Amino acid sequence: MTQQYIDKYLVLEKLGNGAKSTIWKVRDPGSQEIYTLKRVVKESEEDNRFFNQAENEYEVSCKVSHPYLRKSFEIVKIRKWHKTQELLLLM
């Protein structure tokens, strides 16, 4: 069985999907830390709102520090032809 990667992260399992995003349990091969990765893929211009939501989610969660709230660590924009086609939010 071949291993699947999203960007540099090893996919361990799919956790769910909805609102144009898929949530994955992933491992960072460098640190061996396990994270949750939200992947938003743009299929049409209307999907820009889902990118905006994920970017806002990242901005807010970076400012909050509480043991019961999710923390975001990184946001990655994958571009093709100078336009963002995918957005990855590492949590």
Side-chain angles (χ1 to χ4, degrees), residues 1 11 25-26 31 42-43 63 86 90:
M1 185 170 144
V11 173
K25 180 178 177 181
V26 298
S31 69
K42 182 177 179 180
E43 296 173 354
K63 295 176 183 177
E86 287 184 48
L90 188 67

Side-chain angles (χ1 to χ4, degrees), residues 50-68:
F50 298 107
F51 280 13
N52 293 337
Q53 283 177 338
E55 289 171 335
N56 289 336
E57 188 177 340
Y58 173 74
E59 292 296 323
V60 169
S61 65
C62 284
K63 295 176 183 177
V64 177
S65 179
H66 191 279
Y68 294 126

